[in-house]
Amino acid sequence: MARPLKPQEILDTFDRWGVPFDTVSGWKTRSNHSGWAQSGVSGCMHHHTGNDASDQVNRSLVTHGHSTLNGPLCNFGVTDTGRIDIVSAGAANHAGNGDPAVLQAVRLESYDRFPPKTRKAHLDPGAVGGNGKFYGWETYYGAGDDRVINVLQYRVLVLSTAAVIAALDVVDGPKVHWTGKSVIGHKEWQKGKPDPVGVDMSVDRDDVQWCLRHGPDAARHWFATGKHLVASL
């Protein structure tokens, strides 16, 4: 578990890894009411918005929330054009409550291809909060004419997640090594959630880990081309 990243650390790691991004006004101080967990950050969580709205509409949604849930609804939004909206450096209302067994597996990275199957819905007894324990990504897709994550969205999702994990690894110190197993989907955390639809989380984790293993230059090349051409870099 690492302390949350400072705003400048987020900018620095995105710059180092070549993540294309835009900042949403107020992002440096934006947070939910409960804030980060005192124990620190345990991992990263991937979601989708579940709509086919424009990037502009979704950017506003994840920043300000809606009638039943206040914003921010994520730390990072993933646009249709393959850019990251930095929405919040503080904790966001994205994860809700989930399975403590999954949290433990992610903290220790003590699982194989998939964490243990979640057995907890949001209001179930024994479910534990995840908003302050995970950085959250909302990819703008999931319904209507925009049901499938596109290639640019997927690649920038992976690249930006690798960048955040690399920064968390640094601040956590040399005794702990963060890997792609620090990434889970909302569907792996909370029973009944489907997101991110169409994304095999074992492949997602493998792609994040490939980027971490080979570093920013190779990861940037993969982001631009989809090719794992390490030797030529």
Side-chain angles (χ1 to χ4, degrees):
M1 295 175 288
R3 64 162 174 79
L5 300 176
K6 299 174 183 178
Q8 190 59 49
E9 290 170 332
I10 295 174
L11 296 178
D12 288 347
T13 197
F14 276 11
D15 284 341
R16 179 169 181 257
W17 286 78
V19 177
F21 68 87
D22 299 290
T23 57
V24 178
S25 180
W27 75 275
K28 291 182 179 180
T29 56
R30 185 171 289 116
S31 177
N32 64 12
H33 294 301
S34 53
W36 293 110
Q38 291 185 353
S39 57
V41 178
S42 298
C44 300
M45 191 174 294
H46 291 171
H47 308 258
H48 73 240
T49 54
N51 63 35
D52 61 355
S54 67
D55 287 348
Q56 181 179 2
V57 168
N58 273 320
R59 186 177 299 113
S60 178
L61 172 66
V62 299
T63 302
H64 303 294
H66 47 76
S67 60
T68 59
L69 187 62
N70 293 329
L73 303 184
C74 65
N75 301 99
F76 310 106
V78 185
T79 74
D80 290 337
T81 57
R83 297 181 66 85
I84 294 296
D85 288 331
I86 306 181
V87 175
S88 173
N93 292 326
H94 68 98
N97 298 334
D99 197 320
V102 176
L103 178 62
Q104 180 74 352
V106 174
R107 280 177 174 170
L108 300 178
E109 297 193 353
S110 58
Y111 62 94
D112 188 18
R113 300 293 293 170
F114 296 95
K117 184 176 181 179
T118 180
R119 300 183 182 278
K120 298 292 184 182
H122 178 61
L123 297 178
D124 284 352
V128 296
N131 290 336
K133 299 180 178 71
F134 292 92
Y135 278 100
W137 280 253
E138 283 280 1
T139 304
Y140 303 162
Y141 80 100
D145 294 327
D146 192 17
R147 293 182 178 274
V148 181
I149 190 169
N150 71 45
V151 170
L152 291 176
Q153 286 179 310
Y154 179 74
R155 288 184 195 165
V156 81
L157 172 65
V158 167
L159 182 67
S160 61
T161 303
V164 169
I165 290 176
L168 290 168
D169 190 41
V170 170
V171 302
D172 212 11
K175 293 184 178 180
V176 178
H177 181 55
W178 288 60
T179 76
K181 288 187 176 183
S182 292
V183 186
I184 59 172
H186 199 195
K187 57 191 173 185
E188 296 178 303
W189 169 246
Q190 191 179 101
K191 186 178 179 181
K193 290 294 183 180
D195 55 317
V197 162
V199 177
D200 183 331
M201 289 308 302
S202 67
V203 175
D204 188 340
R205 284 185 280 270
D206 283 348
D207 286 337
V208 170
Q209 183 57 26
W210 187 92
C211 292
L212 291 168
R213 183 181 304 116
H214 295 288
D217 288 344
R220 282 194 297 268
H221 185 81
W222 171 80
F223 170 68
T225 68
K227 298 179 180 179
H228 293 165
L229 296 180
V230 179
S232 63
L233 298 179

